[in-house]
Amino acid sequence: MNVISRDASNYAYVNARVRSRWALLLDADEYDTLTRMGPSEIARFLGESEYGPEIDALGSRYSGVDLVEHALNRNLARHFNDLLEWSQGTLADLISRYLRKFDAWNVKTAIRGVYSETDTTVIDDDFIRAGQFDDALLATLEECTSVAEVVEALAETVFGAPLDDALDDFEETGALIPLENAVDRTFYDALLRGLNATTESGTREFVKFLRAEVDFRNIRNAFRLARSGADIDPADYYIEGGRLFEASELASLVENRDELVARLRESRYSDELGPALERLESADTLMGFEHALDASLLGYADHLSHVFPLSVCPVLAYVLAKEREVDNVRAIARGREVDLSGEEIERELVIL
């Protein structure tokens, strides 16, 4: 993409288009309706919504959960490619940078798929084609038969060298944490590198948003490390760029969730995250805790989009919200396929 001059950025136009897309996101009542449907009914429901073009295009090739999976990912890619089509100047550059998160997603999807010996068609279903990886590279990744093969296939990408460095830790511990954290570190390092947050107003808000996302990623990593039981120093997997705490503090936070919640209550996020912090304190499983973190980040992103309405923040908040909608619908469809109860499925959802 050719980056146009900063003066060409069209924040007002793009954010007006984004507000119209926000209005199409599913609400709590619609999620409640979906949890009472079977997979085929969910597909029909989506076909009557803004997912209709994808359901119609794929309906002759897939059905049930497979149709839902493919439609969700294709719809996500369409919406995010629209963002790039609408935007100009620095705004276009910032959005393009951020959407590379789906390259990171696809790397982790391939690694997890090989690790768990998942069928290649399932791995392909989980790929989201909204980043910069082309279909040829994704096809290569889904055909890999070992984690080492995945790392080798990515050698010429920005993720190649960091993953190669993390491969020994993976082989020694058997845990995916070293590899997944290498992906996250690489993504955020590349995202923040070269940005001048002191002189460019559009970039300032972008960096503020990213620092919050890094903070919550570090919190999540700390608790995943604690749950894994692996003999790993949490500080080794700290992602630079956040503001909430230093790498040296991670070890104590891993061992004390109450301390973490207290730290969040005293942080720059406290005013916006009050309700979410209540959920953090009451969450009795790692999954519940992570879902509360996701809701917290959504809440803070929404806050930034209102504080900086003529910036990239509303776009980034929408990207997070749309991702979450797709994750929620996928969880509902998969849950209904295996006859989970509505209550069990609701525990899988993150709704702001």
Side-chain angles (χ1 to χ4, degrees), residues 112-124:
R112 291 167 185 164
V114 169
Y115 181 78
S116 60
E117 300 181 347
T118 302
D119 187 84
T120 57
T121 58
V122 177
I123 296 174
D124 184 73

Side-chain angles (χ1 to χ4, degrees), residues 94-95 120 131 179 198 221 227 256 314 343:
L94 296 179
I95 294 172
T120 57
L179 295 169
T198 60
N221 283 351
R227 173 59 66 92
N256 192 331
E343 183 177 304

Side-chain angles (χ1 to χ4, degrees), residues 97-98 100-105 107-108 111 133 151 154-166 177-194 210 214 217-218 221 236-241:
R97 280 173 176 262
Y98 190 69
R100 291 172 195 165
K101 71 187 299 181
F102 295 106
D103 292 334
W105 166 273
V107 170
K108 289 190 282 188
I111 290 172
F133 284 3
V151 173
L154 293 163
E156 299 304 316
T157 73
V158 68
F159 300 102
L163 282 172
D164 191 56
D165 290 341
I177 291 171
L179 295 169
E180 294 191 345
N181 195 67
V183 173
D184 289 335
R185 276 179 149 177
T186 302
F187 167 68
Y188 286 109
D189 178 67
L191 198 57
L192 290 163
R193 191 186 309 127
L210 293 181
V214 169
R217 180 67 63 181
N218 279 328
N221 283 351
D236 291 342
Y237 297 94
Y238 177 78
I239 300 173
E240 298 289 344

